[in-house]
Amino acid sequence: QLQLVESGGGLVQPGGSLTLSCTASGSTLEVYAIGWFRQAPGKEREGVSCINSSDDSTYLVDSVRGRFTTSRDNARNTVYLKMNSLKPEDTAVYYCAAGDFTPQTPLSPLDFHSWGQGTQVIVSS
């Protein structure tokens, strides 16, 4: 029933910024933990961040900590991934996903039951 849609991807030069959005329909994102994952061609899907449902506490993987932030806007039923100081190694398809419980770390896709279609981020000069 829950449907997620990502938007905001695109081409950006190294050092630039992008903000990705994850917008829900069919239910409210407020009751879910929302994770961001990314996957490059030929590589495993890796967890990037997560924001909890109850207290909005966040987790960020070491490779993006200090550069990315994730936040909620409940009025818009949207979760954001704000990406600054982008590097070529950030290039991937980015997915948002919903889970029912506070996820374990490192993040596993198996802990999330609803997924968006993904949005492409390319960091290149």
Side-chain angles (χ1 to χ4, degrees):
Q1 187 174 61
L2 175 65
Q3 303 290 328
L4 303 178
V5 177
E6 303 97 335
S7 62
L11 175 64
V12 64
Q13 66 180 356
S17 299
L18 284 174
T19 297
L20 307 183
S21 299
C22 176
T23 299
S25 62
S27 186
T28 175
L29 288 183
E30 189 173 9
V31 302
Y32 299 101
I34 302 298
W36 287 94
F37 294 78
R38 64 187 182 185
Q39 188 167 24
K43 296 184 178 180
E44 295 181 348
R45 188 169 298 188
E46 66 170 340
V48 176
S49 70
C50 188
I51 183 166
N52 288 334
S53 61
S54 58
D55 61 2
D56 280 351
S57 62
T58 60
Y59 162 82
L60 295 163
V61 71
D62 288 347
S63 60
V64 307
R65 191 173 298 130
R67 300 188 296 121
F68 293 9
T69 60
T70 186
S71 62
R72 293 180 185 266
D73 186 339
N74 290 330
R76 298 174 64 180
N77 212 19
T78 298
V79 169
Y80 300 99
L81 182 67
K82 300 178 181 179
M83 306 184 294
N84 298 315
S85 302
L86 284 162
K87 304 175 180 179
E89 53 263 42
D90 296 318
T91 296
V93 176
Y94 283 71
Y95 301 87
C96 67
D100 292 326
F101 306 100
T102 301
Q104 300 175 356
T105 56
L107 297 174
S108 172
L110 298 177
D111 291 330
F112 297 83
H113 55 73
S114 300
W115 292 79
Q117 83 289 344
T119 186
Q120 176 74 62
V121 173
I122 300 175
V123 185
S124 177
S125 60

Short mmCIF file of all heavy atoms in Angstrom, two decimals, residues 22-70:
data_model
loop_
_atom_site.label_atom_id
_atom_site.label_comp_id
_atom_site.label_asym_id
_atom_site.label_seq_id
_atom_site.Cartn_x
_atom_site.Cartn_y
_atom_site.Cartn_z
N CYS A 22 12.23 11.95 -1.03
CA CYS A 22 11.49 10.69 -1.00
C CYS A 22 10.09 11.02 -0.50
O CYS A 22 9.91 11.36 0.67
CB CYS A 22 12.18 9.69 -0.08
SG CYS A 22 11.31 8.12 0.15
N THR A 23 9.10 10.95 -1.38
CA THR A 23 7.74 11.34 -1.07
C THR A 23 6.84 10.11 -1.07
O THR A 23 6.91 9.28 -1.98
CB THR A 23 7.22 12.37 -2.07
OG1 THR A 23 8.05 13.55 -2.01
CG2 THR A 23 5.79 12.78 -1.74
N ALA A 24 5.97 10.01 -0.06
CA ALA A 24 5.13 8.84 0.13
C ALA A 24 3.69 9.11 -0.29
O ALA A 24 3.19 10.23 -0.21
CB ALA A 24 5.15 8.40 1.59
N SER A 25 3.03 8.04 -0.72
CA SER A 25 1.58 8.03 -0.90
C SER A 25 1.04 6.72 -0.34
O SER A 25 1.77 5.74 -0.20
CB SER A 25 1.20 8.18 -2.38
OG SER A 25 1.71 7.10 -3.15
N GLY A 26 -0.23 6.69 0.02
CA GLY A 26 -0.85 5.50 0.58
C GLY A 26 -0.70 5.36 2.07
O GLY A 26 -1.43 4.59 2.70
N SER A 27 0.25 6.06 2.66
CA SER A 27 0.49 6.05 4.09
C SER A 27 1.37 7.24 4.43
O SER A 27 1.88 7.92 3.53
CB SER A 27 1.12 4.73 4.54
OG SER A 27 1.22 4.66 5.95
N THR A 28 1.57 7.46 5.71
CA THR A 28 2.43 8.55 6.14
C THR A 28 3.82 8.02 6.47
O THR A 28 3.97 6.97 7.10
CB THR A 28 1.84 9.28 7.36
OG1 THR A 28 2.77 10.25 7.82
CG2 THR A 28 1.54 8.30 8.49
N LEU A 29 4.84 8.74 6.04
CA LEU A 29 6.22 8.37 6.35
C LEU A 29 6.56 8.54 7.81
O LEU A 29 7.57 8.00 8.27
CB LEU A 29 7.19 9.19 5.50
CG LEU A 29 7.28 8.87 4.02
CD1 LEU A 29 8.36 9.73 3.37
CD2 LEU A 29 7.58 7.40 3.80
N GLU A 30 5.73 9.26 8.54
CA GLU A 30 6.02 9.56 9.93
C GLU A 30 6.17 8.31 10.79
O GLU A 30 6.90 8.32 11.80
CB GLU A 30 4.92 10.46 10.50
CG GLU A 30 5.20 11.02 11.87
CD GLU A 30 4.16 12.03 12.31
OE1 GLU A 30 3.13 12.17 11.62
OE2 GLU A 30 4.37 12.68 13.35
N VAL A 31 5.50 7.21 10.43
CA VAL A 31 5.50 6.00 11.25
C VAL A 31 6.59 5.02 10.85
O VAL A 31 6.69 3.94 11.43
CB VAL A 31 4.12 5.30 11.22
CG1 VAL A 31 3.03 6.26 11.69
CG2 VAL A 31 3.80 4.77 9.83
N TYR A 32 7.39 5.35 9.87
CA TYR A 32 8.43 4.46 9.37
C TYR A 32 9.82 5.01 9.58
O TYR A 32 10.04 6.22 9.54
CB TYR A 32 8.24 4.20 7.87
CG TYR A 32 6.95 3.54 7.50
CD1 TYR A 32 5.90 4.29 6.98
CD2 TYR A 32 6.78 2.18 7.65
CE1 TYR A 32 4.71 3.69 6.63
CE2 TYR A 32 5.59 1.57 7.31
CZ TYR A 32 4.55 2.34 6.79
OH TYR A 32 3.37 1.73 6.44
N ALA A 33 10.76 4.11 9.80
CA ALA A 33 12.16 4.45 9.60
C ALA A 33 12.42 4.50 8.10
O ALA A 33 12.01 3.60 7.36
CB ALA A 33 13.07 3.42 10.26
N ILE A 34 13.09 5.55 7.63
CA ILE A 34 13.35 5.72 6.21
C ILE A 34 14.86 5.68 5.97
O ILE A 34 15.60 6.50 6.51
CB ILE A 34 12.77 7.03 5.67
CG1 ILE A 34 11.25 7.09 5.92
CG2 ILE A 34 13.07 7.17 4.18
CD1 ILE A 34 10.47 5.99 5.22
N GLY A 35 15.27 4.72 5.17
CA GLY A 35 16.66 4.58 4.81
C GLY A 35 16.92 5.04 3.39
O GLY A 35 16.03 5.02 2.53
N TRP A 36 18.14 5.49 3.16
CA TRP A 36 18.65 5.75 1.82
C TRP A 36 19.75 4.74 1.51
O TRP A 36 20.65 4.52 2.33
CB TRP A 36 19.20 7.17 1.69
CG TRP A 36 18.14 8.24 1.65
CD1 TRP A 36 17.66 8.95 2.70
CD2 TRP A 36 17.45 8.71 0.49
NE1 TRP A 36 16.71 9.84 2.27
CE2 TRP A 36 16.56 9.72 0.92
CE3 TRP A 36 17.50 8.38 -0.87
CZ2 TRP A 36 15.72 10.40 0.03
CZ3 TRP A 36 16.66 9.06 -1.75
CH2 TRP A 36 15.79 10.06 -1.29
N PHE A 37 19.65 4.14 0.33
CA PHE A 37 20.65 3.20 -0.17
C PHE A 37 21.14 3.68 -1.53
O PHE A 37 20.46 4.46 -2.21
CB PHE A 37 20.06 1.79 -0.30
CG PHE A 37 19.69 1.15 1.01
CD1 PHE A 37 18.52 1.49 1.66
CD2 PHE A 37 20.51 0.19 1.57
CE1 PHE A 37 18.18 0.90 2.87
CE2 PHE A 37 20.18 -0.42 2.77
CZ PHE A 37 19.02 -0.06 3.42
N ARG A 38 22.30 3.20 -1.93
CA ARG A 38 22.79 3.51 -3.27
C ARG A 38 23.45 2.28 -3.88
O ARG A 38 23.97 1.43 -3.17
CB ARG A 38 23.77 4.69 -3.26
CG ARG A 38 25.05 4.46 -2.48
CD ARG A 38 25.84 5.76 -2.39
NE ARG A 38 27.11 5.58 -1.69
CZ ARG A 38 27.93 6.57 -1.38
NH1 ARG A 38 27.63 7.83 -1.73
NH2 ARG A 38 29.06 6.32 -0.74
N GLN A 39 23.41 2.21 -5.20
CA GLN A 39 23.96 1.07 -5.91
C GLN A 39 24.56 1.53 -7.24
O GLN A 39 23.88 2.14 -8.05
CB GLN A 39 22.89 0.01 -6.17
CG GLN A 39 23.42 -1.29 -6.74
CD GLN A 39 22.40 -2.41 -6.69
OE1 GLN A 39 21.20 -2.15 -6.66
NE2 GLN A 39 22.88 -3.64 -6.68
N ALA A 40 25.83 1.23 -7.41
CA ALA A 40 26.51 1.46 -8.67
C ALA A 40 26.47 0.19 -9.50
O ALA A 40 26.38 -0.92 -8.95
CB ALA A 40 27.95 1.90 -8.43
N PRO A 41 26.55 0.29 -10.84
CA PRO A 41 26.51 -0.92 -11.68
C PRO A 41 27.57 -1.94 -11.28
O PRO A 41 28.74 -1.60 -11.11
CB PRO A 41 26.75 -0.37 -13.08
CG PRO A 41 26.27 1.04 -13.03
CD PRO A 41 26.62 1.51 -11.64
N GLY A 42 27.14 -3.19 -11.13
CA GLY A 42 28.05 -4.26 -10.78
C GLY A 42 28.44 -4.33 -9.33
O GLY A 42 29.24 -5.20 -8.96
N LYS A 43 27.90 -3.45 -8.50
CA LYS A 43 28.25 -3.42 -7.08
C LYS A 43 27.02 -3.71 -6.23
O LYS A 43 25.89 -3.60 -6.67
CB LYS A 43 28.84 -2.06 -6.69
CG LYS A 43 30.16 -1.73 -7.38
CD LYS A 43 30.74 -0.43 -6.87
CE LYS A 43 32.07 -0.12 -7.51
NZ LYS A 43 32.64 1.15 -7.01
N GLU A 44 27.28 -4.10 -4.98
CA GLU A 44 26.19 -4.36 -4.05
C GLU A 44 25.52 -3.07 -3.61
O GLU A 44 26.15 -2.02 -3.55
CB GLU A 44 26.73 -5.11 -2.82
CG GLU A 44 27.26 -6.49 -3.10
CD GLU A 44 27.73 -7.19 -1.85
OE1 GLU A 44 27.86 -6.53 -0.80
OE2 GLU A 44 27.98 -8.40 -1.91
N ARG A 45 24.24 -3.18 -3.29
CA ARG A 45 23.53 -2.05 -2.72
C ARG A 45 24.03 -1.79 -1.31
O ARG A 45 24.11 -2.70 -0.49
CB ARG A 45 22.02 -2.33 -2.72
CG ARG A 45 21.16 -1.16 -2.33
CD ARG A 45 19.69 -1.44 -2.60
NE ARG A 45 19.45 -1.68 -4.03
CZ ARG A 45 18.25 -1.80 -4.56
NH1 ARG A 45 17.16 -1.70 -3.81
NH2 ARG A 45 18.13 -2.03 -5.87
N GLU A 46 24.38 -0.54 -1.02
CA GLU A 46 24.90 -0.20 0.28
C GLU A 46 24.04 0.85 0.98
O GLU A 46 23.48 1.74 0.34
CB GLU A 46 26.34 0.33 0.17
CG GLU A 46 26.48 1.64 -0.55
CD GLU A 46 27.87 2.25 -0.43
OE1 GLU A 46 28.61 1.89 0.50
OE2 GLU A 46 28.21 3.11 -1.27
N GLY A 47 23.95 0.73 2.29
CA GLY A 47 23.21 1.70 3.07
C GLY A 47 23.97 3.01 3.19
O GLY A 47 25.18 3.02 3.40
N VAL A 48 23.26 4.12 3.08
CA VAL A 48 23.83 5.45 3.17
C VAL A 48 23.40 6.15 4.46
O VAL A 48 24.23 6.73 5.17
CB VAL A 48 23.43 6.31 1.96
CG1 VAL A 48 23.95 7.73 2.10
CG2 VAL A 48 23.94 5.67 0.67
N SER A 49 22.11 6.11 4.77
CA SER A 49 21.60 6.82 5.92
C SER A 49 20.28 6.22 6.36
O SER A 49 19.66 5.45 5.63
CB SER A 49 21.42 8.31 5.60
OG SER A 49 20.34 8.50 4.70
N CYS A 50 19.85 6.62 7.55
CA CYS A 50 18.53 6.23 8.05
C CYS A 50 18.06 7.29 9.03
O CYS A 50 18.86 7.85 9.79
CB CYS A 50 18.57 4.86 8.71
SG CYS A 50 16.94 4.21 9.13
N ILE A 51 16.76 7.56 9.01
CA ILE A 51 16.13 8.43 10.00
C ILE A 51 15.04 7.64 10.69
O ILE A 51 14.21 7.01 10.03
CB ILE A 51 15.61 9.74 9.35
CG1 ILE A 51 15.03 10.66 10.41
CG2 ILE A 51 14.62 9.46 8.23
CD1 ILE A 51 14.80 12.08 9.90
N ASN A 52 15.03 7.65 12.02
CA ASN A 52 14.09 6.85 12.79
C ASN A 52 12.69 7.44 12.76
O ASN A 52 12.50 8.63 12.46
CB ASN A 52 14.56 6.72 14.24
CG ASN A 52 15.76 5.81 14.39
OD1 ASN A 52 15.99 4.92 13.57
ND2 ASN A 52 16.53 6.01 15.45
N SER A 53 11.70 6.62 13.11
CA SER A 53 10.32 7.05 13.10
C SER A 53 9.91 7.80 14.35
O SER A 53 9.13 8.74 14.29
CB SER A 53 9.39 5.85 12.90
OG SER A 53 9.54 4.92 13.96
N SER A 54 10.43 7.39 15.51
CA SER A 54 9.94 7.91 16.78
C SER A 54 10.59 9.21 17.22
O SER A 54 9.91 10.10 17.72
CB SER A 54 10.12 6.86 17.88
OG SER A 54 11.48 6.49 18.02
N ASP A 55 11.89 9.32 17.03
CA ASP A 55 12.62 10.48 17.55
C ASP A 55 13.40 11.25 16.49
O ASP A 55 14.08 12.22 16.82
CB ASP A 55 13.56 10.07 18.68
CG ASP A 55 14.61 9.06 18.26
OD1 ASP A 55 14.65 8.69 17.07
OD2 ASP A 55 15.40 8.64 19.12
N ASP A 56 13.34 10.83 15.23
CA ASP A 56 14.03 11.47 14.12
C ASP A 56 15.55 11.47 14.27
O ASP A 56 16.24 12.27 13.63
CB ASP A 56 13.55 12.90 13.91
CG ASP A 56 12.23 12.97 13.16
OD1 ASP A 56 11.77 11.93 12.65
OD2 ASP A 56 11.66 14.07 13.07
N SER A 57 16.07 10.58 15.11
CA SER A 57 17.51 10.43 15.16
C SER A 57 18.00 9.84 13.84
O SER A 57 17.26 9.12 13.15
CB SER A 57 17.93 9.55 16.33
OG SER A 57 17.39 8.25 16.21
N THR A 58 19.23 10.14 13.47
CA THR A 58 19.75 9.75 12.16
C THR A 58 21.04 8.97 12.27
O THR A 58 21.79 9.09 13.25
CB THR A 58 19.98 10.97 11.26
OG1 THR A 58 20.93 11.85 11.87
CG2 THR A 58 18.68 11.72 11.03
N TYR A 59 21.28 8.17 11.26
CA TYR A 59 22.52 7.44 11.09
C TYR A 59 23.06 7.75 9.70
O TYR A 59 22.29 7.80 8.73
CB TYR A 59 22.29 5.93 11.23
CG TYR A 59 23.42 5.09 10.67
CD1 TYR A 59 24.58 4.86 11.40
CD2 TYR A 59 23.34 4.57 9.38
CE1 TYR A 59 25.62 4.12 10.89
CE2 TYR A 59 24.37 3.83 8.85
CZ TYR A 59 25.52 3.60 9.61
OH TYR A 59 26.54 2.86 9.09
N LEU A 60 24.36 7.93 9.59
CA LEU A 60 25.03 8.14 8.31
C LEU A 60 26.25 7.24 8.23
O LEU A 60 27.00 7.12 9.20
CB LEU A 60 25.47 9.60 8.16
CG LEU A 60 24.34 10.64 8.09
CD1 LEU A 60 24.91 12.03 8.35
CD2 LEU A 60 23.66 10.59 6.73
N VAL A 61 26.43 6.61 7.09
CA VAL A 61 27.59 5.76 6.89
C VAL A 61 28.86 6.63 6.90
O VAL A 61 28.83 7.82 6.56
CB VAL A 61 27.45 4.96 5.58
CG1 VAL A 61 27.60 5.86 4.37
CG2 VAL A 61 28.42 3.80 5.53
N ASP A 62 29.98 6.03 7.31
CA ASP A 62 31.20 6.80 7.50
C ASP A 62 31.60 7.60 6.26
O ASP A 62 32.11 8.72 6.37
CB ASP A 62 32.35 5.87 7.89
CG ASP A 62 32.22 5.33 9.29
OD1 ASP A 62 31.39 5.84 10.06
OD2 ASP A 62 32.97 4.40 9.63
N SER A 63 31.39 7.02 5.07
CA SER A 63 31.86 7.65 3.85
C SER A 63 31.13 8.95 3.51
O SER A 63 31.63 9.74 2.70
CB SER A 63 31.75 6.68 2.68
OG SER A 63 30.41 6.26 2.48
N VAL A 64 29.96 9.20 4.11
CA VAL A 64 29.20 10.41 3.81
C VAL A 64 29.01 11.29 5.04
O VAL A 64 28.51 12.42 4.90
CB VAL A 64 27.83 10.10 3.18
CG1 VAL A 64 28.00 9.19 1.97
CG2 VAL A 64 26.88 9.48 4.19
N ARG A 65 29.38 10.82 6.21
CA ARG A 65 29.19 11.58 7.43
C ARG A 65 29.97 12.90 7.34
O ARG A 65 31.13 12.92 6.95
CB ARG A 65 29.63 10.77 8.64
CG ARG A 65 29.21 11.37 9.98
CD ARG A 65 29.53 10.42 11.14
NE ARG A 65 28.80 9.16 11.01
CZ ARG A 65 29.36 7.96 11.10
NH1 ARG A 65 30.66 7.84 11.33
NH2 ARG A 65 28.61 6.87 10.96
N GLY A 66 29.29 14.00 7.69
CA GLY A 66 29.89 15.31 7.57
C GLY A 66 29.62 15.99 6.25
O GLY A 66 29.84 17.20 6.12
N ARG A 67 29.14 15.23 5.25
CA ARG A 67 28.80 15.79 3.95
C ARG A 67 27.30 15.69 3.65
O ARG A 67 26.75 16.58 2.99
CB ARG A 67 29.56 15.07 2.84
CG ARG A 67 31.08 15.18 2.96
CD ARG A 67 31.78 14.61 1.74
NE ARG A 67 31.54 13.17 1.60
CZ ARG A 67 30.97 12.61 0.53
NH1 ARG A 67 30.58 13.36 -0.50
NH2 ARG A 67 30.81 11.30 0.47
N PHE A 68 26.66 14.62 4.10
CA PHE A 68 25.23 14.38 3.85
C PHE A 68 24.45 14.55 5.14
O PHE A 68 24.96 14.30 6.24
CB PHE A 68 24.98 12.96 3.34
CG PHE A 68 25.53 12.62 1.98
CD1 PHE A 68 26.39 13.47 1.31
CD2 PHE A 68 25.17 11.43 1.39
CE1 PHE A 68 26.90 13.14 0.07
CE2 PHE A 68 25.67 11.08 0.14
CZ PHE A 68 26.53 11.93 -0.52
N THR A 69 23.19 14.95 5.02
CA THR A 69 22.24 14.93 6.12
C THR A 69 20.91 14.40 5.62
O THR A 69 20.59 14.50 4.43
CB THR A 69 22.02 16.32 6.74
OG1 THR A 69 21.51 17.22 5.75
CG2 THR A 69 23.31 16.88 7.32
N THR A 70 20.12 13.81 6.53
CA THR A 70 18.78 13.34 6.18
C THR A 70 17.79 13.92 7.19
O THR A 70 18.10 14.04 8.38
CB THR A 70 18.71 11.81 6.12
OG1 THR A 70 17.43 11.39 5.64
CG2 THR A 70 18.96 11.18 7.48
#
